[in-house]
Amino acid sequence: MSDPILGQILNQLQQMDKRFDSIDVRLEKMEDRLNTMDGRLDTIEEQTKNIPLLQQAVLETLTVTKRLDASHSVSERKVTTELNTHQHSIDILNRRQLRMEADIETLKSR
């Protein structure tokens, strides 16, 4: 083969070598990005593995809150009933007192 043909072959091989170097650089960048993504994925997995436990805790808290609310409603009704009963008793005592005062005034007038 002649020197010009060998020079062209060498030139093309050098260009191919540059392309391969460029491809290698791009592949290394992609590999770095994949490693970064793997690290982020591991972090996300670590942070989200407790979500079921948090959900369970929230549901348990909700159950307790509902029970407390129901208990509060029952207690509130009982207190309201007691207050109404006491108010009724106070009204009766007030009427008796008024009648007794009226009777006392009547007796004083005689």
Side-chain angles (χ1 to χ4, degrees), residues 11-95:
N11 187 27
Q12 286 182 352
L13 285 175
Q14 287 173 342
Q15 287 178 356
M16 287 177 66
D17 192 38
K18 287 180 183 178
R19 284 189 208 154
F20 284 135
D21 286 343
S22 172
I23 291 172
D24 282 343
V25 168
R26 289 173 61 191
L27 284 174
E28 285 175 8
K29 286 181 181 179
M30 289 175 70
E31 191 172 304
D32 288 344
R33 288 178 65 193
L34 281 174
N35 287 336
T36 301
M37 288 172 67
D38 281 343
R40 290 173 65 191
L41 235 169
D42 290 342
T43 301
I44 290 170
E45 285 176 351
E46 183 67 28
Q47 290 174 346
T48 58
K49 75 179 181 182
N50 291 329
I51 287 177
L53 297 174
L54 291 172
Q55 286 175 330
Q56 180 181 355
V58 168
L59 290 175
E60 288 173 2
T61 303
L62 179 63
T63 302
V64 168
T65 303
K66 285 182 180 178
R67 270 191 270 140
L68 286 173
D69 189 39
S71 175
H72 176 71
S73 295
V74 168
S75 296
E76 189 176 351
R77 280 192 299 260
K78 285 181 181 178
V79 168
T80 301
T81 302
E82 283 291 319
L83 285 174
N84 288 338
T85 301
H86 290 310
Q87 185 62 41
H88 182 70
S89 297
I90 290 171
D91 287 343
I92 290 172
L93 289 173
N94 279 338
R95 285 188 208 134

Side-chain angles (χ1 to χ4, degrees), residues 1-12:
M1 286 195 187
S2 67
D3 282 341
I5 293 176
L6 288 176
Q8 284 180 344
I9 291 173
L10 181 62
N11 187 27
Q12 286 182 352

